[in-house]
Amino acid sequence: MTRAEETLRKKPKKWLINLVFIVAIIAALAISFSGSRINWTRFETIGISLRIMFTGLADFKFNFLFGTDPYHFEEGVVYMTLVTLAIAFIGTFIGAVLAIPFGFLASVNVVGKKIARIGEAILVIIRVFPEIVLALILVKGFGMNALTGVLTIGIHSIGMLGKLFAEAIDNMDKSPLEALDAVGANSWQKIRYGIIPQVAADISSITLYRLDINVRSATVLGIVGAGGLGASLILSAENWNWDILGTILLAIIVMVLAVDAVSSYLRGKLL
Amino acid sequence: MIKFVNVSKTYANGVQALKDVNLEIQDGEFVGIIGLSGAGKSTLLRSINKMISITAGELFIDEVEISSIKGKELRMLRRNIGMIFQSFNLVKRMSVFNNVLTGRVAYHPTLKTVLGLFPKMDKLMALNALDTMGILDKAFTRADQLSGGQQQRVALARALTQNPKVILADEPVASLDPITTVQVMDDFARINKDFGITIVANMHHVDLAIKYATRIIGIQDGRVVYDGPSRQIDDKTLVQIYGRSLKHDEVLGES
């Protein structure tokens, strides 16, 4: 037997582990289906419902779009879209600003392993709160308005942004910090001239990406009363006002695509 | 003047990198430190600006004993000592000018430097240093746009901007090609001669060390085994430092 054949014989056998995984996934699917009690009879009428819905959705209400007669501008979709955008923008900004110190606190490079673990734990605690739960709690305190949306998005964003900022700081080139030590720089000067110039582009890019996510969140958060388009969205869906719902959907699609395009363009410029 | 008195360094893992080193380096000297990898060259060099702390003995910089200093006092010591690294250690996403200007941070209050408020004189110092190194036209390009040799010149300009009495160079040409190597070593020689700045450089290439340094310190297993003028280095001293005689091509450092 040649050495190659011998090595081939010793090749690790993975098929058993793979089989266990496949069986486990199939079993989990079966259990989920049996437990969820899906009402299959609903599929018989769905065709009719969908047709009504789509003809309604295609019937845009332009006076509702721009808030002209009989609506006020503040009731129009354009205005509400702008509010949604503003909530996402301010929320992201607050989240990013707050996430910077958390990012430093969770970075092994800056504070060392022990403190970084504490910083990371704080960020995990922020992340485990689903956004909608956070919104439901804040609505009780701050009421059904845009401020609630801003705070929800701001606080929730810290979790992911802080984590990604810390990763950016830990992945950067550490050699300039050594050089700054050698010129006699103190910690603040090392942050200013060694860390910030290296991570500023990454931090901006991550924040823009988060803005993308937050525009979508701001829409959904309106459903629980945190300001923006969501409130009208849920109201029109519950009242079967397909034409109004269609108009709102159109605005959401345009807004999301626009923000996506702008943030992609800016991120491309940054890196 | 740099003076080592019975200096030893034992790392936390028990490795003894320096063993009872006694040295005196006068102002304006060009010293080349040679020896095998792991012999203690880097530890010797880095103990001078306390990037590495010695564990026994005394180390004097201009009559000041530095083994116990820390905090602001240490930073004041370091601002007078330039340092050059094998991998240049520039902030690659920052302009050449800003990289060089960081050589001035220890001269000003924290708040001013953090806000980027450097006096005009400092900015001119930075630009003059770049001019001395022949790369003034690159001042406002990003550091990562430059070649290796140019980046090492930026690092040299940063060191010059500190207005230092000493420049420590830890393998300054180890990542450069042979032609750039000669150019950068010429720059070191020029700085040494024109500004009277003491140069202490670790080097792999024996021939370069002999050509540029006026004095060679040979280290073997943490001990100084040769200390004398570079022109007196012969095969016998190289055996002392490297454990065996070097072949012709090894001396040239082209292996």
Side-chain angles (χ1 to χ4, degrees):
Chain A
M1 202 186 297
T2 64
R3 281 167 36 129
E5 280 173 317
E6 213 173 305
T7 311
L8 183 63
R9 233 163 38 96
K10 282 192 237 149
K11 182 173 173 282
K13 292 172 184 65
K14 293 223 178 112
W15 61 269
L16 189 67
I17 296 166
N18 290 344
L19 188 70
V20 169
F21 271 113
I22 291 166
V23 170
I25 290 167
I26 291 172
L29 279 173
I31 294 165
S32 309
F33 266 114
S34 67
S36 59
R37 299 183 208 291
I38 295 168
N39 185 0
W40 300 101
T41 54
R42 286 291 285 178
F43 279 88
E44 288 161 23
T45 54
I46 198 160
I48 306 159
S49 306
L50 277 179
R51 204 172 53 230
I52 297 169
M53 237 193 274
F54 278 116
T55 42
L57 285 175
D59 181 21
F60 303 128
K61 286 264 191 260
F62 286 100
N63 52 349
F64 179 55
L65 196 58
F66 298 106
T68 46
D69 191 61
Y71 302 97
H72 293 293
F73 181 66
E74 280 80 12
E75 295 164 348
V77 170
V78 170
Y79 178 78
M80 285 190 289
T81 307
L82 291 176
V83 170
T84 309
L85 270 177
I87 290 170
F89 190 75
I90 301 170
T92 308
F93 183 81
I94 291 173
V97 169
L98 293 177
I100 288 172
F102 280 105
F104 278 93
L105 197 65
S107 152
V108 181
N109 263 351
V110 178
V111 295
K113 259 186 195 155
K114 277 182 193 157
I115 299 176
R117 230 173 255 159
I118 300 170
E120 226 170 282
I122 297 171
L123 291 172
V124 169
I125 292 167
I126 298 172
R127 274 205 302 277
V128 291
F129 264 95
E131 208 162 11
I132 204 94
V133 174
L134 192 61
L136 280 169
I137 295 168
L138 290 175
V139 160
K140 299 293 166 219
F142 295 92
M144 308 239 293
N145 54 46
L147 179 64
T148 305
V150 167
L151 289 175
T152 305
I153 285 173
I155 294 169
H156 187 75
S157 298
I158 294 170
M160 176 185 130
L161 290 178
K163 168 92 181 149
L164 292 178
F165 290 178
E167 271 173 25
I169 296 169
D170 282 336
N171 287 335
M172 73 179 196
D173 178 12
K174 290 163 203 75
S175 72
L177 298 181
E178 191 187 18
L180 282 161
D181 265 328
V183 302
N186 62 29
S187 301
W188 296 110
Q189 291 165 334
K190 272 157 56 180
I191 290 173
R192 169 65 178 80
Y193 290 101
I195 297 177
I196 291 174
Q198 289 199 70
V199 298
D202 291 320
I203 285 183
S204 314
S205 166
I206 293 164
T207 305
L208 278 169
Y209 178 58
R210 185 70 212 190
L211 177 66
D212 244 37
I213 298 172
N214 284 347
V215 167
R216 275 159 255 221
S217 300
T219 318
V220 177
L221 286 179
I223 293 172
V224 297
L229 278 167
S232 312
L233 192 72
I234 188 101
L235 218 64
S236 50
E238 279 182 349
N239 296 329
W240 297 66
N241 287 332
W242 299 119
D243 45 357
I244 287 181
L245 186 63
T247 315
I248 296 172
L249 268 181
L250 177 73
I252 291 174
I253 291 165
V254 170
M255 170 178 74
V256 169
L257 285 179
V259 171
D260 196 283
V262 171
S263 95
S264 297
Y265 171 79
L266 287 176
R267 273 187 292 142
K269 285 260 153 190
L270 277 169
L271 296 180
Chain B
M1 193 185 69
I2 302 161
K3 192 171 162 191
F4 286 70
V5 182
N6 303 327
V7 169
S8 293
K9 167 69 184 179
T10 310
Y11 284 102
N13 61 12
V15 174
Q16 212 182 340
L18 294 179
K19 296 170 184 165
D20 200 25
V21 172
N22 286 286
L23 281 175
E24 216 169 279
I25 297 170
Q26 304 301 328
D27 289 347
E29 279 195 87
F30 193 139
V31 180
I33 304 173
I34 60 173
L36 287 170
S37 299
K41 299 192 298 285
S42 204
T43 308
L44 182 73
L45 190 87
R46 281 159 188 262
S47 61
I48 295 172
N49 62 350
K50 225 179 168 222
M51 296 294 275
I52 289 173
S53 297
I54 58 172
T55 46
E58 288 173 309
L59 214 169
F60 297 91
I61 309 283
D62 294 334
E63 315 296 320
V64 180
E65 211 287 307
I66 64 159
S67 59
S68 59
I69 66 168
K70 52 181 190 250
K72 193 174 168 86
E73 236 183 319
L74 175 60
R75 295 199 297 273
M76 293 304 108
L77 168 82
R78 283 177 175 166
R79 76 177 188 188
N80 294 319
I81 303 176
M83 192 163 193
I84 301 296
F85 304 86
Q86 175 177 347
S87 48
F88 325 131
N89 295 16
L90 303 175
V91 179
K92 295 190 174 59
R93 283 177 169 178
M94 202 157 76
S95 74
V96 165
F97 175 66
N98 279 338
N99 267 293
V100 175
L101 208 49
T102 60
R104 299 299 301 168
V105 293
Y107 285 91
H108 304 291
T110 305
L111 187 64
K112 271 197 169 175
T113 53
V114 166
L115 294 175
L117 301 173
F118 289 92
K120 190 179 173 192
M121 211 180 77
D122 283 28
K123 293 176 190 170
L124 291 176
M125 274 179 85
L127 293 171
N128 274 324
L130 282 171
D131 202 12
T132 305
M133 300 314 302
I135 44 169
L136 184 58
D137 57 322
K138 303 284 184 196
F140 302 112
T141 43
R142 248 167 65 150
D144 56 1
Q145 304 290 313
L146 271 56
S147 69
Q150 288 171 329
Q151 288 192 34
Q152 195 61 298
R153 287 204 188 101
V154 174
L156 265 168
R158 176 174 62 192
L160 283 180
T161 308
Q162 285 174 249
N163 206 2
K165 292 187 69 177
V166 181
I167 291 180
L168 307 174
D170 196 4
E171 303 289 355
V173 292
S175 50
L176 300 176
D177 63 64
I179 292 167
T180 319
T181 291
V182 170
Q183 290 168 350
V184 169
M185 287 313 299
D186 284 340
D187 289 330
F188 274 103
R190 198 153 47 88
I191 288 167
N192 175 243
K193 217 172 135 242
D194 293 355
F195 302 105
I197 296 171
T198 312
I199 309 275
V200 185
N202 282 345
M203 275 188 272
H204 271 307
H205 301 335
V206 179
D207 64 323
L208 282 178
I210 293 171
K211 184 179 167 196
Y212 286 97
T214 48
R215 172 180 170 192
I216 297 287
I217 293 171
I219 309 260
Q220 205 232 328
D221 195 22
R223 289 181 203 283
V224 175
V225 293
Y226 177 84
D227 183 0
S230 49
R231 56 194 150 71
Q232 279 177 20
I233 293 258
D234 56 17
D235 205 46
K236 225 178 82 189
T237 50
L238 289 179
V239 172
Q240 268 186 314
I241 298 165
Y242 288 99
R244 64 171 173 83
S245 70
L246 297 185
K247 295 181 191 97
H248 183 64
D249 58 338
E250 286 173 330
V251 176
L252 284 174
E254 282 164 1
S255 52

